[in-house]
Amino acid sequence: LSDSSSYSPIANPLITTKYVLTVKDTCGIGIDDIVLTVNNIPTAYAGKDINICRGTSVNLFGNGGNKHKWSSSNSLNNDTIQSPLANPKNSTTYIFTAINNCGTNTDDIIVIVDTIPKVDAGIDLSLCYGDSILLNANGLFGSKYSWTPKNSLNNSFINNPVAKPFETTKYILSAMSNCGVALDTLIVTV
């Protein structure tokens, strides 16, 4: 308190504090108290970034404050609630604002929109017996790739392995992501 003997001191507590007022006069003693609650600027937590597949929705979970506001609201079902439903067409950064009587704070979350993988194994090829040839897939999208059969490839988990088949072989390329699998084939004629 600025002056504990003043009838109107200034209080500036750092934490919630109970103040007791004692008044003495010729009639006796009077006691009363008041609690000054110290509220802080809210913390804001929008959550960890998340991947979803195109065409799906995800609930966002903001934490902090007693009022809430989300930006990029055109793909949210409600931008003033704590846990709106997001349905973005493309990867989107959402900014969560936590609000209380003392101010605001923000945090963001990125919703990464993945698509179904696309793959093109390339054109059919031919080579002479004993030779090798580079398989060169085009337009790949996916997090993992796999060629089969793999016994005549130098690496079956990349998009451009070297093939050395001893007979005409049909290769199948798979591209896999969290949103699905895509397949394409090519034939190497020996």
Side-chain angles (χ1 to χ4, degrees):
L1 291 175
S2 61
D3 181 358
S4 64
S5 63
S6 170
Y7 70 94
S8 59
I10 296 172
N12 191 16
L14 298 176
I15 60 171
T16 298
T17 304
K18 179 179 180 179
Y19 292 96
V20 178
L21 172 65
T22 305
V23 177
K24 288 184 191 179
D25 66 12
T26 58
C27 297
I29 297 176
I31 297 176
D32 198 4
D33 62 59
I34 185 170
V35 175
L36 290 182
T37 303
V38 176
N39 294 314
N40 295 314
I41 293 174
T43 57
Y45 181 67
K48 293 182 180 182
D49 296 347
I50 188 168
N51 290 62
I52 64 170
C53 297
R54 185 176 307 279
T56 61
S57 300
V58 64
N59 271 99
L60 304 179
F61 296 100
N63 192 11
N66 53 21
K67 292 182 183 176
H68 312 95
K69 178 74 175 154
W70 291 89
S71 70
S72 300
S73 58
N74 58 338
S75 60
L76 297 175
N77 68 330
N78 187 331
D79 65 355
T80 60
I81 62 174
Q82 190 171 5
S83 300
L85 184 66
N87 187 14
K89 291 182 174 47
N90 298 303
S91 296
T92 302
T93 300
Y94 294 96
I95 299 172
F96 171 69
T97 303
I99 305 162
N100 71 12
N101 293 336
C102 296
T104 64
N105 211 339
T106 62
D107 190 28
D108 65 64
I109 182 173
I110 301 171
V111 177
I112 301 160
V113 178
D114 294 328
T115 59
I116 295 173
K118 298 174 185 167
V119 66
D120 177 4
I123 60 171
D124 292 345
L125 303 167
S126 60
L127 65 112
C128 296
Y129 183 84
D131 287 347
S132 59
I133 193 163
L134 181 68
L135 306 183
N136 198 10
N138 298 310
L140 291 178
F141 172 80
S143 56
K144 296 179 184 177
Y145 307 102
S146 177
W147 290 88
T148 56
K150 58 185 175 182
N151 58 341
S152 59
L153 301 173
N154 70 328
N155 185 339
S156 64
F157 299 106
I158 60 175
N159 67 324
N160 57 351
V162 175
K164 189 173 182 177
F166 292 104
E167 61 185 12
T168 297
T169 304
K170 179 179 180 179
Y171 290 98
I172 301 169
L173 174 60
S174 302
M176 297 153 277
S177 76
N178 293 333
C179 298
V181 176
L183 302 172
D184 195 23
T185 63
L186 77 90
I187 296 174
V188 176
T189 304
V190 179

